[in-house]
Amino acid sequence: MKTTFKNAYFEEIYKLLQRLEQTQQAAMDKAAQKIAECLKNDGIIHTFGCGHSGNAAVEAFDRSGCFVAVDAILDPELMFQHGAHAGTMLERQEGYTPKLLATHDLRAGDVLLVFSNSGRNPAGIDAILTAKQKGVYTIAFMAATAHAKSQSRHSSGKLLKDVADLYIDNCANKNETCLTLGDLELGPISTVSFAAILHQILFQAAQILAAQGVPPPVYKSGNAPGGDEHNKVLVAKYAGRIKHL
């Protein structure tokens, strides 16, 4: 889309947040309910993404103001540490993520959040299919409307949204960008969208728990008085199930 605003990227973010609120609130409400239910029963929220979508997977992991019970499923092969192009090709390979998930403690009653703007690649689809076999509730985050007619790279022929128990449309476009300059497309926006949706549903989940008299297991800042002591108690409860703590 073409815009002439001086702060063009900010303007597109405003529009994006409005679209999310107007179109995705029901799905976000359901996601928050499922996460609250999981945490109330001492479950774990697992997060997964590849490449830049991996930013969303670590967004709420081991972070002040976020739940302690978050297990980020991280793998340098799927990120950029061992080569960005190699990671991209691995994301398109079936059979890799089930082995990765086997190194994490996924149990029935847990929730898995998978982030992928395109939702086409086998890594995320395999992650959801594997988690569902374990009784994990799965939520997909992708540009669902933009990619409704995209061809899956998975042998099932399905996109991420087709295999998840619930999906949330990040309202980004097919190419992730939101600005143009001549024939160039600039301004990737999916990371902003993923982060906004994630923190909204986590806050809603905390509200649900608090209303039920269940203290939300949230990290305090280590720079705040008593923060380290508060966090140490919560970490002791969940650390055995969170691989990368």
Side-chain angles (χ1 to χ4, degrees):
M1 60 185 70
K2 188 174 182 179
T3 181
T4 57
F5 292 99
K6 180 179 179 181
N7 294 321
Y9 188 73
F10 288 172
E11 183 67 23
E12 292 307 319
I13 291 174
Y14 300 151
K15 293 177 184 177
L16 170 73
L17 295 177
Q18 290 176 332
R19 289 196 300 273
L20 289 172
E21 186 175 24
Q22 292 166 2
T23 66
Q24 301 305 304
Q25 193 62 62
M28 290 191 291
D29 290 346
K30 187 171 183 180
Q33 288 284 352
K34 288 293 183 179
I35 288 172
E37 179 183 332
C38 169
L39 294 174
K40 186 176 181 180
N41 293 316
D42 294 329
I44 297 290
I45 311 303
H46 307 275
T47 61
F48 177 75
C50 303
H52 289 288
S53 294
N55 293 331
V58 299
E59 176 67 23
F61 175 59
D62 193 38
R63 188 172 194 177
S64 173
C66 296
F67 292 125
V68 178
V70 173
D71 169 48
I73 300 173
L74 306 175
D75 180 59
E77 301 290 347
L78 289 169
M79 301 295 285
F80 299 140
Q81 291 94 325
H82 294 169
H85 295 170
T88 296
M89 296 311 296
L90 190 58
E91 182 183 3
R92 299 178 181 183
Q93 179 179 312
E94 269 185 64
Y96 183 78
T97 47
K99 298 173 185 177
L100 175 61
L101 264 63
T103 68
H104 289 255
D105 188 4
L106 279 73
R107 303 180 188 178
D110 288 351
V111 174
L112 172 67
L113 313 180
V114 176
F115 302 88
S116 170
N117 197 69
S118 74
R120 300 178 62 195
N121 293 313
I125 295 168
D126 275 349
I128 284 186
L129 293 174
T130 300
K132 290 177 75 171
Q133 291 175 356
K134 295 177 178 290
V136 174
Y137 187 84
T138 58
I139 305 175
F141 300 75
M142 65 170 286
T145 302
H147 282 278
K149 296 182 180 180
S150 293
Q151 184 175 356
S152 172
R153 292 190 173 106
H154 193 270
S155 61
S156 68
K158 295 182 178 181
L159 297 171
L160 199 67
K161 68 181 181 65
D162 301 321
V163 296
D165 294 302
L166 174 69
Y167 76 85
I168 299 176
D169 189 345
N170 72 0
C171 294
N173 70 20
K174 195 168 186 177
N175 297 325
E176 298 198 54
T177 56
C178 62
L179 300 171
T180 59
L181 183 65
D183 60 353
L184 300 175
E185 295 184 358
L186 302 95
I189 204 167
S190 62
T191 301
V192 175
S193 181
F194 284 149
I197 298 167
L198 177 61
H199 289 303
Q200 174 62 31
I201 63 177
L202 295 183
F203 179 69
Q204 287 184 227
Q207 287 180 305
I208 293 167
L209 291 173
Q212 295 175 353
V214 179
V218 173
Y219 275 116
K220 290 185 177 180
S221 171
N223 297 312
D228 286 343
E229 292 76 13
H230 169 88
N231 295 342
K232 185 177 180 180
V233 173
L234 290 175
V235 168
K237 177 178 179 180
Y238 295 105
R241 295 201 58 207
I242 301 176
K243 179 177 180 179
H244 294 296
L245 278 182

